[in-house]
Amino acid sequence: MTDVVVVGRIAIDEWVLSEREQQSARTPADTYGGSGANMASLLARLGMDVGLVAKIGCDDVGVHYRDRLIELGVNVDYLQTGYHRTAVCRIIPGISYEWLDDVIAFPSVTASDLTGALVGAEVAIFSDCAPSQDVVLPEASYWVPQLWLRSPRWEPRAALLPWRAVFVNSRERDELENLMGSTVGELSKQTKTTWIVTDESKDTICWQSGISSRHQVDPVAPVVALGGGDALAAAFVFARYEGLSIGNSIELGHAAARKVVQQVACQLEQGHVDELLSTVDAMRGQNGFA
């Protein structure tokens, strides 16, 4: 049985580095990325049984990416291969990023395919997309809307689904509140969904049943503020799956995000993940369970 199914983007990140950055970079200029794949990779490294629903190109890059996911233990049965190259996101650290193939980066699955992927899953994460009304969601389902808020496929119904939690940054929160004509605080009360709002180095705000709590972020000097949100959401979902409190889960998410934004890559290697697992063990000890 699959622990978690992630539905989202898969892409190659093309880093445009200065000569100094090239000399100090700890990873190649082109790295594996895409929000869905970022989260699936981290969850697999954390030890979860993960399936990924995403769209990949028919080029050699797509083949290598698929092989990498298999090596990590990610179930790729629902990866779709299109008649195009694998999507590319060009990143200039500290300045900007742009999608070179924005349309093909969106996952495209029929309700029947998605239903098949979700069979037996305890947890689902939708990133940059949302399910149709025909899809029956697992009880523990999470939403990371990101660019979906600016997609022509956007519909308000998505924000009202019975999500366990929704993750947005402050800009996305403002966009969503404008689209919905309601604040995330009001939405949290209306839908019983937990809303987690990040704002880079500022406190993370957690809304539950109309009540907010603040969670401190330890400031860092990021290489680029990309991939941190994916890492935070995945680490939070893992921590909640392990039975940790929302506060501890946000703390673990912060730890994962800090590691990502300080490197030239949006996916963590096993050494960093082992540190996160040690943090989880310490949290479990503090809460009185093994």
Side-chain angles (χ1 to χ4, degrees):
M1 183 171 69
T2 303
D3 295 332
V4 55
V5 170
V6 181
V7 186
R9 290 175 182 260
I10 189 169
I12 289 295
D13 293 332
E14 181 183 277
W15 296 79
V16 181
L17 304 175
S18 67
E19 184 176 347
R20 180 181 59 81
E21 289 168 334
Q22 290 177 21
Q23 293 173 351
S24 62
R26 288 169 288 180
T27 58
D30 292 348
T31 61
Y32 298 103
S35 59
N38 291 343
M39 286 186 273
S41 298
L42 178 52
L43 290 166
R45 286 191 182 277
L46 285 166
M48 297 189 77
D49 185 354
V50 185
L52 176 61
V53 179
K55 201 172 185 180
I56 200 167
C58 60
D59 51 5
D60 290 342
V61 172
V63 173
H64 293 317
Y65 207 145
R66 181 187 294 267
D67 289 343
R68 170 185 167 80
L69 291 168
I70 292 172
E71 289 175 4
L72 290 174
V74 176
N75 184 334
V76 298
D77 289 348
Y78 287 90
L79 275 191
Q80 298 181 345
T81 302
Y83 296 99
H84 48 67
R85 71 173 186 170
T86 299
V88 176
C89 181
R90 179 174 294 157
I91 303 169
I92 304 175
I95 300 177
S96 66
Y97 72 94
E98 62 177 339
W99 283 93
L100 305 188
D101 305 275
D102 190 56
V103 175
I104 66 169
F106 278 107
S108 175
V109 293
T110 65
S112 59
D113 287 339
L114 190 50
T115 298
L118 292 173
V119 169
E122 297 183 55
V123 180
I125 305 174
F126 287 79
S127 176
D128 277 321
C129 62
S132 69
Q133 60 186 9
D134 300 325
V135 174
V136 178
L137 296 173
E139 183 177 348
S141 291
Y142 299 83
W143 192 34
V144 190
Q146 298 185 347
L147 295 180
W148 178 252
L149 298 174
R150 282 169 272 163
S151 166
R153 303 175 188 178
W154 156 259
E155 53 182 339
R157 178 193 62 83
L160 301 176
L161 291 172
W163 303 112
R164 179 70 60 84
V166 175
F167 303 85
V168 290
N169 60 35
S170 58
R171 177 182 51 76
E172 293 162 351
R173 175 204 57 201
D174 293 345
E175 290 178 358
L176 189 141
E177 290 181 341
N178 182 59
L179 289 167
M180 297 296 296
S182 181
T183 67
V184 295
E186 293 167 344
L187 289 171
S188 75
K189 190 173 183 179
Q190 177 184 350
T191 63
K192 305 302 182 184
T193 294
T194 296
W195 288 76
I196 297 173
V197 184
T198 60
D199 192 359
E200 297 184 351
S201 61
K202 297 179 181 179
D203 290 353
T204 292
I205 310 298
C206 177
W207 284 94
Q208 294 178 282
S209 301
I211 300 173
S212 67
S213 59
R214 288 183 173 270
H215 302 263
Q216 185 176 347
V217 174
D218 294 331
V220 296
V223 173
V224 63
L226 285 177
D230 301 335
L232 186 150
F236 177 96
V237 170
F238 173 75
R240 293 297 285 158
Y241 184 81
E242 290 293 303
L244 296 178
S245 68
I246 285 189
N248 280 160
S249 299
I250 292 175
E251 184 181 344
L252 187 72
H254 287 167
R258 279 196 301 273
K259 295 179 186 300
V260 168
V261 300
Q262 293 181 89
Q263 64 179 20
V264 182
C266 289
Q267 295 181 10
L268 295 176
E269 293 302 320
Q270 192 60 50
H272 286 144
V273 176
D274 289 341
E275 293 176 16
L276 295 178
L277 289 170
S278 295
T279 300
V280 170
D281 288 340
M283 290 175 173
R284 291 171 67 87
Q286 291 169 3
N287 287 299
F289 58 93

